[in-house]
Amino acid sequence: MRYSPAGTGGTEMTNLMGSRAHRLAYALAFMALLAAGPAAGAVAQPVPPAAATVHAILVADTSDAKIGRGVTANLDRLTSLLKPASRGGAFPLRLTVVSGKDFSCRAIIAALDGLKAGPQDTAIFYIAAHGYRTATTTTRFPDYYCIKPGDKPGTIVGTALVEQKLEQSGARFRIAIADTCNVTLGGDLRETGTGRSLADVDARVWRRLFLRYSGTILMSGSAPGKPSWYFNSGRRVGGMFTNQLLGAIELTLDDAARNPELARWSTIVNRATVPIVHDSRVGQEPQGQRQGLSVDPLPVMAAGN
């Protein structure tokens, strides 16, 4: 079993962990299927406008020689569930995927520029790829290693730009997640080579998490100067940070099963960004940031966020 860092190098080690990488996809997809109406017998409550849409941009460097297999596994699990959810028509879901030969800085920018959200919409950006920072990087979140032939020299695409583009989209709730390295590089960049059953989750919990919030959440798999790691085979194939994020969502759903008021993004972010320790040689330090986060109150739920 192998895993590799999401920076510019790779290593082989034994993988002792099991996989939860599919559960984020289940969470997003099942939320879409349930969000159209309240659970049977639920107390009447205000619902989002019928036109509310979830916009998802999934970016994955699936052709990379070092981490491509792990990246592909994450992308496959997400798209295989998000697309059926969209076709089901629970509410409009606009999915954009940038991967394979289409992966480039200009393609990421084009996808972000094409995101036109309404005032009640949610916008989600997720990237699985190599990442970096430079000595002049001012934000603690990473830039993305996406330069390809045809990209304008000096093009920089990273979490700071994504945050700006999501803000400009008009969505009321914005999430940007980067499962990438965050190590400092010197010199010019070169071109890259080619648990519980979710069926039991109350519909009110999905609507609270994905349609009731406003503000911005930023997360990345590693702190400044640190790498991120990917398993390329085995039961936990995919990114170590993504696996932890999925576990954080699952634990929060367990809490919400006992008390729906506990379906809070602050809890998910806190749990997803604790240091990851695999063995004495490999670990990483995820990070998260919340900006202006608030949630609409419900008659049967507290307004905590």
Side-chain angles (χ1 to χ4, degrees):
M1 299 182 183
R2 302 186 304 162
Y3 65 88
S4 302
T8 57
T11 202
E12 293 191 1
M13 300 187 65
T14 301
N15 172 6
L16 303 178
M17 305 169 74
S19 178
R20 289 181 178 172
H22 63 287
R23 288 175 177 165
L24 176 59
Y26 275 109
L28 293 173
F30 202 76
M31 170 276 299
L33 292 172
L34 293 176
V43 176
Q45 56 186 287
V47 297
T53 299
V54 174
H55 306 259
I57 298 176
L58 307 181
V59 180
D61 191 2
T62 55
S63 62
D64 183 80
K66 295 292 185 182
I67 62 172
R69 292 179 64 186
V71 167
T72 299
N74 283 354
L75 180 62
D76 287 347
R77 290 177 180 130
L78 289 171
T79 57
S80 66
L81 291 174
L82 288 173
K83 286 182 178 179
S86 176
R87 289 194 296 268
F91 64 80
L93 177 80
R94 296 187 179 179
L95 176 63
T96 301
V97 176
V98 178
S99 65
K101 63 182 179 58
D102 296 323
F103 177 85
S104 68
C105 290
R106 65 186 180 279
I108 296 173
I109 293 173
L112 289 166
D113 285 341
L115 176 56
K116 308 299 181 185
Q120 299 299 322
D121 292 353
T122 294
I124 301 169
F125 178 92
Y126 173 90
I127 182 169
H130 291 295
Y132 72 99
R133 63 191 297 105
T134 68
T136 59
T137 301
T138 57
T139 176
R140 60 192 179 99
F141 292 93
D143 293 326
Y144 314 140
Y145 203 69
C146 57
I147 295 177
K148 294 286 186 176
D151 282 329
K152 183 179 179 180
T155 299
I156 297 178
V157 178
T159 306
L161 178 65
V162 171
E163 179 186 4
Q164 175 186 338
K165 295 289 188 180
L166 293 184
E167 184 78 29
Q168 294 172 351
S169 74
R172 61 174 272 168
F173 185 34
R174 303 163 295 277
I175 304 173
I177 301 172
D179 198 348
T180 71
C181 280
N182 199 0
V183 295
T184 301
L185 300 180
D188 296 331
L189 293 178
R190 59 177 174 82
E191 295 175 356
T192 60
T194 54
R196 62 180 264 107
S197 172
L198 294 177
D200 297 332
V201 177
D202 193 316
R204 294 169 298 171
V205 172
W206 294 125
R207 286 197 295 272
R208 176 180 167 89
L209 285 174
F210 289 96
L211 294 179
R212 302 279 180 198
Y213 271 84
S214 60
T216 300
I217 292 175
L218 305 177
M219 285 188 277
S220 67
S222 53
K226 303 295 184 178
S228 290
W229 295 86
Y230 273 76
F231 292 107
N232 287 322
S233 63
R235 295 182 61 192
R236 287 189 72 86
V237 61
M240 290 178 68
F241 168 63
T242 296
N243 287 340
Q244 180 157 285
L245 173 63
L246 300 170
I249 292 174
E250 178 181 302
L251 287 174
T252 303
L253 293 177
D254 286 341
D255 293 342
R258 298 187 297 271
N259 180 358
E261 298 176 2
L262 299 179
R264 298 175 178 176
W265 274 104
S266 59
T267 303
I268 294 174
V269 173
N270 289 342
R271 286 170 167 168
T273 54
V274 299
I276 301 171
V277 177
H278 175 57
D279 59 27
S280 60
R281 290 176 291 169
V282 175
Q284 63 191 72
E285 301 175 22
Q287 59 179 350
Q289 180 175 302
R290 295 166 297 203
Q291 302 172 359
L293 202 62
S294 64
V295 60
D296 292 343
L298 298 177
V300 294
M301 295 184 184
N305 63 338

